[in-house]
Amino acid sequence: MKVSFPDKLRFLFCNSRYKIIHGGRGKGASWGIARALLLLGGNRRLRILCTREVQKSIKESVHQLLCEQIVLMEMQDVYEVQEATIINRENDTTFIFAGLREHTVSSLKSYESIDICHVAEGHAVTKRSWDVLIPTIRKDGSEIWIDLNPELDTDETYKRFVLNPPPNSQIAHMTYLDNPWFPDTLEQERAYCEKVYPDEYRNIWLGEPRTTVPGAIFGVEVMRMITDSRYTFAPYDPRLKVHGF
């Protein structure tokens, strides 16, 4: 089977515990990850958990994306699409879909035999969810794939896996320039954003995390103040409520 992939996603077919893809909108990671999972699951029997922080229904999962890729890759004879799972008819590879927030350590016990865990929208995953998930994916040779478009440089996932990646990690930063499937419709949106909203552009399309929350009234001014060292420390009584001006 001849299938196109972004060059930066070749490492998805190499062994490593963590595979992290971060960047901007339209980078093509979702398509690439779905294709890689379907191909790997076609070669040998795997249990694949597709998860995100919140999943109230199967419609909020990557179930539909996988279904679309099965058709595009002409693998309808290989995979049987069910309402809540996807199963390989030949080797029993199984795709499972679940949200992290709804689970506890005990309820995740059934996922101990997972071979690959794909975490979509990783920027939204909390420290509590990571602390529950990571020890659960414990099978020898198991992998955790993470796809995120960073929001803030203080987000848990960005700090944990991009700024301080754990051992045996492979990381790729991608933008729309790395996407072989980047459509004209998105190109029009990208160009418009670059022209009209330059302050937002670098985060949305280039995947650079923000240092302040969007809408912060004095965000830019405070960052300039810090850069210029125009701040000092003031004594205060820690027993009392403090107001700074």
Side-chain angles (χ1 to χ4, degrees):
M1 180 179 294
K2 196 171 184 179
V3 180
S4 61
F5 275 92
D7 289 340
K8 289 187 177 180
L9 293 185
R10 290 182 180 181
F11 72 90
L12 293 178
F13 297 95
C14 304
N15 295 328
S16 60
R17 169 63 172 173
Y18 297 99
K19 297 174 181 178
I20 302 112
I21 304 150
H22 65 103
R25 186 183 181 194
K27 63 184 182 292
S30 298
W31 271 41
I33 289 171
R35 291 188 167 201
L37 291 173
L38 290 168
L39 289 175
L40 290 172
N43 288 333
R44 60 188 176 93
R45 183 181 183 275
L46 297 172
R47 279 174 55 82
I48 301 171
L49 171 63
C50 299
T51 187
R52 62 181 59 214
E53 179 68 9
V54 178
Q55 180 187 300
K56 296 180 181 179
S57 70
I58 197 69
K59 293 181 180 180
E60 296 180 352
S61 71
V62 295
H63 183 277
Q64 181 60 36
L65 173 63
L66 288 164
C67 293
E68 293 170 356
Q69 292 302 316
I70 288 172
V71 174
L72 289 173
M73 296 167 66
E74 300 182 354
M75 300 183 76
Q76 298 97 318
D77 293 337
V78 178
Y79 285 101
E80 176 184 339
V81 176
Q82 300 181 355
E83 184 176 352
T85 59
I86 297 174
I87 299 175
N88 186 313
R89 295 184 176 94
E90 300 172 356
N91 63 17
D92 205 32
T93 284
T94 304
F95 286 81
I96 306 165
F97 306 88
L100 293 173
R101 184 173 295 180
E102 293 78 20
H103 282 284
T104 64
V105 174
S106 298
S107 64
L108 276 175
K109 288 288 186 181
S110 61
Y111 299 142
E112 289 181 1
S113 61
I114 291 296
D115 296 288
I116 300 176
C117 176
H118 166 222
V119 182
E121 298 184 4
H123 63 276
V125 179
T126 62
K127 180 179 185 301
R128 176 262 179 197
S129 292
W130 284 122
D131 291 343
V132 171
L133 177 67
I134 291 174
T136 302
I137 310 301
R138 65 181 70 178
K139 183 178 179 180
D140 286 343
S142 59
E143 299 181 355
I144 298 175
W145 298 14
I146 305 164
D147 176 21
L148 71 148
N149 292 6
E151 289 289 339
L152 294 171
D153 56 6
T154 54
D155 288 343
E156 176 64 24
T157 304
Y158 186 78
K159 291 190 301 181
R160 186 185 290 240
F161 294 103
V162 179
L163 296 182
N164 302 288
N168 198 13
S169 297
Q170 296 193 63
I171 304 174
H173 175 263
M174 297 178 63
T175 70
Y176 68 96
L177 294 172
D178 301 302
N179 183 0
W181 312 293
F182 193 68
D184 291 337
T185 301
L186 281 186
E187 170 57 25
Q188 294 174 19
E189 292 189 16
R190 184 205 64 78
Y192 175 78
C193 181
E194 183 177 24
K195 179 180 179 180
V196 180
Y197 303 105
D199 293 339
E200 299 291 316
Y201 178 79
R202 301 193 69 83
N203 172 250
I204 296 173
W205 292 97
L206 301 184
E208 297 180 7
R210 296 183 176 98
T211 55
T212 57
V213 178
I217 298 173
F218 297 115
V220 174
E221 289 77 5
V222 169
M223 291 307 301
R224 288 175 179 168
M225 178 188 72
I226 295 173
T227 301
D228 298 342
S229 296
R230 291 184 286 108
Y231 63 92
T232 187
F233 296 94
Y236 71 97
D237 188 337
R239 297 170 298 177
L240 302 175
K241 187 181 293 184
V242 176
H243 299 273
F245 300 90

